[in-house]
Amino acid sequence: METDSTARDLEIVRTLKAPRRLLWKAWSDPDLLKEWWCPKPWKTDVKAFEFRPGGAFHTYMTGPLPNGEQGESDNPGCFLDILPEERIVCTSMLTGGWRPTEPWIGITSVFLLEDTPDGTRYTARCMHRNGDERTKHEEMGFYDGWGTMIDQMDAFALSLS
Amino acid sequence: METDSTARDLEIVRTLKAPRRLLWKAWSDPDLLKEWWCPKPWKTDVKAFEFRPGGAFHTYMTGPLPNGEQGESDNPGCFLDILPEERIVCTSMLTGGWRPTEPWIGITSVFLLEDTPDGTRYTARCMHRNGDERTKHEEMGFYDGWGTMIDQMDAFALSLS
């Protein structure tokens, strides 16, 4: 039933300089998360951050579009799984209290942290509800966007030490 | 943001004869669940039952339609939260591993068990992604269908004692 499911995924795996403890700190506090969550000069407003399975996770981002106008991206969602310093899973398919919703893009994101001899291995996997949204997400600049977020997160986490 | 959300819910609350322990047993074992899951003479095939948060929960039901033809209802989904003898939460918005999907009806179901002096209070709440699907679900016979399931579950659980 799920034989082709990974064809609906986008994934970035990177080895980071910051230790897991500081990356977790940067991730698990909304006042810190907003500093690195979206590629600058876009800004993140964290509208909900109930850091537990079933808790609301809602980011609202604003910034300049290529045409110079102000853009926005509203992303209500829900945390699904949290394993301290190891794993965070969240989705746009549900909002707080696991309530189903109608997202503009239907994704579940999985973030994994692992120690390696060379640094912290960070996996950011984005699973889509269909291939069209996966393609659209890639064309919107997934690899650049999430890659920049990861650079910003690593640098910001290091600054916390 | 969620002010009107309960307008998207359907709910049945009933006081049952079977104790929580046996209702949980009837719920948590797919070989037992299939005996009461859908109104007879429809039958349930449990295609996946990974009884943990993030685990697949997939039922496939077949039976006669009012016109005499054979009908079917395929319902892949995912468990979200399990608190033994107290709470089960599952959704059609995701499949196993929290993977987003495109359900024919977008719901999260919450089942609660509580002891009361009169028996076991059972709450079956169905949250919908929009009002149209809530209305459609009610018109499809939600109250009769889920009510019959609950009758069947209570009687079946009592037979386990």
Side-chain angles (χ1 to χ4, degrees), chain B residues 18-139:
Chain B
R20 278 200 296 157
R21 182 180 63 82
L22 295 179
L23 291 165
W24 191 261
K25 189 174 177 182
W27 229 116
S28 56
D29 180 334
D31 289 334
L32 305 182
L33 179 111
K34 72 182 176 61
E35 297 299 324
W36 60 265
W37 183 252
C38 67
K40 294 174 181 177
W42 279 58
K43 290 183 180 175
T44 302
D45 179 17
V46 182
K47 295 193 168 193
F49 195 88
E50 299 166 352
F51 199 53
R52 61 175 188 271
F57 177 36
H58 184 176
T59 58
Y60 177 73
M61 294 168 269
T62 51
L65 296 173
N67 66 7
E69 291 181 11
Q70 182 81 347
E72 63 173 8
S73 180
D74 191 28
N75 296 278
C78 183
F79 288 113
L80 294 170
D81 190 44
I82 293 169
L83 185 62
E85 299 193 10
E86 288 190 26
R87 186 173 64 234
I88 295 167
V89 183
C90 54
T91 190
S92 70
M93 299 290 286
L94 309 171
T95 57
W98 298 292
R99 185 171 284 280
T101 191
E102 298 182 294
W104 64 271
I105 184 168
I107 61 174
T108 294
S109 302
V110 179
F111 304 95
L112 304 173
L113 295 167
E114 296 164 272
D115 287 332
T116 75
D118 302 321
T120 305
R121 183 182 163 97
Y122 186 73
T123 301
R125 181 180 304 139
C126 186
M127 306 187 286
H128 300 77
R129 63 183 154 188
N130 59 49
D132 285 349
E133 286 195 351
R134 179 207 176 279
T135 300
K136 176 180 156 196
H137 202 186
E138 187 175 1
E139 289 170 355

Side-chain angles (χ1 to χ4, degrees), chain A residues 21-55:
Chain A
R21 183 181 63 82
L22 295 180
L23 291 165
W24 191 261
K25 189 174 177 182
W27 229 115
S28 57
D29 180 334
D31 289 335
L32 305 182
L33 179 112
K34 72 182 175 61
E35 297 298 323
W36 60 265
W37 183 252
C38 67
K40 294 175 181 176
W42 279 58
K43 290 183 181 175
T44 301
D45 178 17
V46 182
K47 295 194 167 191
F49 196 88
E50 299 165 354
F51 199 53
R52 60 175 188 272

Side-chain angles (χ1 to χ4, degrees), chain A residues 1-2 5 8-9 58 80-81 89 91 93-95 97-102 106-108 127-130, chain B residues 1-2 5 8-9 58 76 80-81 89 91 93-95 97-102 106 108 127-130:
Chain A
M1 156 190 147
E2 290 287 350
S5 60
R8 292 191 271 120
D9 296 355
H58 185 176
L80 295 170
D81 191 44
V89 183
T91 190
M93 298 290 286
L94 309 171
T95 58
W98 298 291
R99 185 171 285 280
T101 190
E102 298 183 295
I107 60 174
T108 293
M127 304 186 285
H128 299 77
R129 63 182 155 187
N130 60 48
Chain B
M1 154 190 148
E2 291 287 351
S5 59
R8 291 190 272 120
D9 295 356
H58 184 176
L80 294 170
D81 190 44
V89 183
T91 190
M93 299 290 286
L94 309 171
T95 57
W98 298 292
R99 185 171 284 280
T101 191
E102 298 182 294
T108 294
M127 306 187 286
H128 300 77
R129 63 183 154 188
N130 59 49

